Amino acid sequence: MADKESIRVGSAVRRRRRALALTLAAVSERSGLSVPFLSQIENERARPSMRSLDRVADALDTTAAELLAAADSARVVDVVRARSHDSSPDVGIRPLVRGHHQLRAVEFTGEQEGDREYQHRGDELMYVADGAAEVEAEGRVYRLEKGDTLYLSGGVRHRWRATLPGTRLLVVGVGDRVGTGL
């Protein structure tokens, strides 16, 4: 395996393990590889052979090819233009990161349904770029104005609505698992 590939495979392995809420010890037990070796792979200090990568992939309920593909996604440099065709002006939702990555970011514009409830495994950050919004989380209502941010740890049920016309809300979150988007 080339040096650049193995380095990125380590971060893909770590993301997948964390997404499954597994410890290094659990992956070690499943794969038969030592905890120190797995730690070295994840921290890019060791290069797994294809056989070792297959064992790690099996322990993580995936394949070596999927881990390599997730590693390839780490190499992406992509610009999403403000007037991109990916946006949906009728709905007012614009993805700010294309593809399947650990990070997900979406811009919401205008009126949104305030009765829809959300809950995500990963942490989430809401930023009001323009306008104002109300977010209900953990039984409390938070009023946000332009420039305000709200952080939600993973698992917090929440709903939100724009309170001014033309509101733009940026939502950035951690993907639920390697290889999935929103």
Side-chain angles (χ1 to χ4, degrees):
M1 208 178 285
D3 287 355
K4 287 183 181 180
E5 278 185 343
S6 62
I7 287 173
R8 287 182 179 85
V9 169
S11 61
V13 167
R14 180 185 310 109
R15 285 192 312 266
R16 177 69 178 170
R17 177 181 62 79
R18 287 180 176 169
L20 295 172
L22 294 173
T23 64
L24 282 172
V27 176
S28 173
E29 186 176 315
R30 289 178 171 196
S31 67
L33 300 171
S34 73
V35 170
F37 180 60
L38 291 169
S39 177
Q40 289 174 347
I41 291 171
E42 286 190 3
N43 291 305
E44 303 162 1
R45 289 190 299 254
R47 295 176 186 90
S49 65
M50 279 308 294
R51 177 160 163 61
S52 293
L53 187 58
D54 282 333
R55 291 168 69 179
V56 170
D58 285 343
L60 297 174
D61 299 323
T62 189
T63 65
E66 287 176 353
L67 287 174
L68 289 169
D72 284 342
S73 71
R75 298 180 205 165
V76 172
V77 175
D78 190 21
V79 174
V80 178
R81 301 285 179 200
R83 305 219 188 286
S84 168
H85 295 292
D86 291 344
S87 63
S88 177
D90 297 337
V91 180
I93 300 172
R94 181 170 69 105
L96 301 175
V97 177
R98 288 185 273 235
H100 303 292
H101 303 284
Q102 185 177 14
L103 173 77
R104 54 190 169 91
V106 179
E107 178 187 57
F108 293 90
T109 306
E111 299 289 323
Q112 298 295 321
E113 296 177 22
D115 58 342
R116 181 171 178 202
E117 190 172 72
Y118 300 92
Q119 183 178 26
H120 315 283
R121 279 178 159 177
D123 296 351
E124 185 173 87
L125 178 77
M126 298 176 137
Y127 171 75
V128 181
D130 281 314
E134 283 184 356
V135 180
E136 182 185 332
E138 297 290 305
R140 291 186 59 194
V141 174
Y142 300 88
R143 288 174 176 72
L144 305 176
E145 297 178 0
K146 182 178 179 176
D148 290 346
T149 61
L150 177 76
Y151 170 82
L152 300 160
S153 62
V156 172
R157 289 186 185 277
H158 59 284
R159 68 181 87 221
W160 67 272
R161 69 179 186 89
T163 57
L164 291 175
T167 293
R168 286 187 11 210
L169 185 70
L170 171 66
V171 179
V172 180
V174 177
D176 289 340
R177 56 176 218 205
V178 172
T180 63
L182 287 171

